[in-house]
């Protein structure tokens, strides 16, 4: 299954009738399939969140098309189909919590879809387990009494309750402490492995390097770069020009290459860098992670 857009443009309404407003997005084309993660990156005001809302059907494009399973989303009837396949979490989704209990909050979308009560109850439990919250301990609690990280996970459970094939996540780890960030990134990775298509809006290059198969770089509403993670992060100089940079592992690797160390190109994660260093410094040794995996526990 595929979610895509072609020639997508959007302008916010002007103050005066008949006058176009500011162009937020211009001629953007991209696609993501189930089981893949597409990262959308760019500086503030580049059009990332506008693109996310267009893909989710929350905004109507000024020009261009959104396609779901190669069918153009053109009217309210098609947008209803899009809502059944695509869910979106805004930045700081915990601010949208409203119900008196965790169960009621997570159940909202399923109840709104007209599901029978038994199906709703089962979906709520499944969604809470997915985000690492034991339903027995959390369903009856007020979401406003939970920690920030727990609230974020409750909000994500509300997104997962419909089990849509595509998830659009706008800065999903923003504001979380290191432990909450690791848990949320682990959850996103697991959702991708389970077959969900993920559109990840982020300014954290390490997170993008860890999760993304494809990257779209936006600048002033237009596509500056697009391709695989390796292809995009290989353009380090261009990324630095737009104040994005490359993951810390690749940045450090570039410094080592400048000092004469023969490292392979585009090392995106700390694990990749560690393996490359191990092989470069002692070619006869297996990478440390591989050696540890081969040992009996």
């Amino acid at each position: 299954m595929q979610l895509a857009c072609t020639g997508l443009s959007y302008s916010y309404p002007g103050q005066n009738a008949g006058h176009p407003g500011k162009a937020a997005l211009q001629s953007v084309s991209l696609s993501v399939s189930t089981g893949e993660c597409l990262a959308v990156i760019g500086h503030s005001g580049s059009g990332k969140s506008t693109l996310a809302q267009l893909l989710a059907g929350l905004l109507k494009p000024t020009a261009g098309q959104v396609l779901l399973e190669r069918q153009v989303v053109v009217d309210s009837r098609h947008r209803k189909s899009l809502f059944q396949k695509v869910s979106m979490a805004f930045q700081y989704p915990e601010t949208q919590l409203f119900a008196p209990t965790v169960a009621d909050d997570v159940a909202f979308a399923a109840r709104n879809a007209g599901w029978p009560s038994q199906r709703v109850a089962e979906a709520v439990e499944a969604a809470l387990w997915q985000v690492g919250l034991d339903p027995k301990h959390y369903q009856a609690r007020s979401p406003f009494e939970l920690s920030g990280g727990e609230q974020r996970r409750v909000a994500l459970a509300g997104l997962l309750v419909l089990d849509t094939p595509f998830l659009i996540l706008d800065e999903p780890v923003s504001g979380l402490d290191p432990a909450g960030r690791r848990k949320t990134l682990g959850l996103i990775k697991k959702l991708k492995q389970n077959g969900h298509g993920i559109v990840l809006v982020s300014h954290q290059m390490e997170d993008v390097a860890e999760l993304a198969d494809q990257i779209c770089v936006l600048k002033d509403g237009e596509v500056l770069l697009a391709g695989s993670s390796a292809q995009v992060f290989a353009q380090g100089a261009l990324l630095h020009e737009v104040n994005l940079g490359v993951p810390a592992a690749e940045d450090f690797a570039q410094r080592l290459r400048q000092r004469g160390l023969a490292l392979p190109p585009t090392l995106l994660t700390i694990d990749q860098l560690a393996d490359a260093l191990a092989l470069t410094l002692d070619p006869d040794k297996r990478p440390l992670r591989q050696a540890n995996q081969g040992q009996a526990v």
Side-chain angles (χ1 to χ4, degrees), residues 257-277:
R257 293 187 194 103
Q258 292 170 0
R259 291 177 175 270
L261 199 61
L263 291 174
T266 321
L267 300 169
L268 302 183
T269 68
I270 296 299
D271 283 343
Q272 291 176 1
L273 176 60
D275 286 351
L277 284 170

Side-chain angles (χ1 to χ4, degrees), residues 53 58 88-94 96 168-172:
Q53 292 180 62
L58 302 178
M88 178 175 174
F90 291 90
Q91 191 175 4
Y92 302 110
E94 62 272 20
Q96 300 169 50
I168 300 176
L169 308 176
D170 192 351
E171 301 284 1

Side-chain angles (χ1 to χ4, degrees), residues 45-58:
S46 62
K48 304 187 302 295
S49 294
T50 300
L51 174 58
Q53 292 180 62
L54 286 164
L55 290 173
L58 302 178

Side-chain angles (χ1 to χ4, degrees), residues 93 130-131 148-154 156 169 171-174 176-191 200 207 210-211:
Q130 273 191 284
V131 299
E150 289 171 331
Q151 287 183 336
R152 181 71 57 90
R153 283 188 277 166
V154 169
L156 289 176
L169 308 176
E171 301 284 1
V173 299
S174 182
L176 293 180
D177 61 24
R181 178 178 171 275
R182 285 193 300 272
K183 288 179 180 178
T184 302
L185 290 175
L187 169 62
I188 297 170
K189 187 178 294 186
K190 185 176 180 181
L191 290 169
L200 174 69
D207 300 347
E210 183 177 346
L211 295 169

Side-chain angles (χ1 to χ4, degrees), residues 30-75:
L30 51 78
S31 66
V32 59
S33 298
T34 46
E36 293 181 344
C37 178
L38 166 70
V40 180
I41 63 176
H43 57 76
S44 179
S46 62
K48 304 187 302 295
S49 294
T50 300
L51 174 58
Q53 292 180 62
L54 286 164
L55 290 173
L58 302 178
L59 293 175
K60 185 177 180 180
T62 305
Q65 299 173 330
V66 175
L67 302 97
L68 178 65
E69 298 183 84
R70 296 181 174 83
Q71 297 296 315
V72 180
V73 179
V74 293
D75 54 27

